[in-house]
Amino acid sequence: MIFLIKLMRIDERLIHGQVAVVWSKHLGINRIVVADDEVVNNEMQMMALKMAVPNGVKASIISTDKAIALLNDPRVEKLKIFLIVGNPETALKMMQNVKNIPAVNVGNYGRMSQLKDGGEEKEQLDKNLFVTAQEKNVFHELLTFDVDVSYQPVPTDKAKAIKSMI
């Protein structure tokens, strides 16, 4: 089976050096789709993300609902897509609504704020991976899909199964 989506990554920084340069080249993609309901309402953040996109790659920074519609549209079948979401909840929504996501890569998540909204503390699972109890539950739900879910900041790092971390 040929996957138009090469990988879905959970990374709260969305597009940045590791994503733009290392992962894009490693995956051989020609399109980045960022599915994030908050960033689409922030012009400054949208401009910053677009500046980080590597040459030769187009980016779509859109709401999760628009991303679901786009990724289910047969007209995008010729694209090689790197799907990026900012949190586990959005990743779960994508898995539930988009066919043929081959794997979930967890990059940097939870480090930017040690406390979640509401003050719930986060547990450190690895150097750059911090989660709340609720987010652990979401990761357990992601593990019910028949895909690899692993923590791997860059392709040269050894992937760690999320199942063994939570």
Side-chain angles (χ1 to χ4, degrees), residues 37-79:
D37 292 330
E38 289 180 30
V39 77
V40 294
N41 297 314
N42 184 327
E43 278 300 314
M44 190 75 92
Q45 200 173 4
M46 293 252 308
M47 286 177 21
L49 291 174
K50 287 178 181 177
M51 288 180 5
V53 176
N55 290 335
V57 175
K58 292 186 178 180
S60 298
I61 303 167
I62 53 183
S63 70
T64 55
D65 289 338
K66 283 187 179 179
I68 289 166
L70 174 73
L71 297 169
N72 285 318
D73 188 328
R75 294 176 290 184
V76 300
E77 287 179 1
K78 290 185 176 26
L79 299 176

Side-chain angles (χ1 to χ4, degrees), residues 118-136:
E120 185 180 357
E121 287 198 37
K122 294 185 177 186
E123 176 185 349
Q124 184 174 4
L125 302 179
D126 206 287
K127 181 180 176 190
N128 292 307
L129 181 57
F130 299 78
V131 297
T132 64
Q134 173 58 32
E135 289 164 338
K136 272 187 168 183

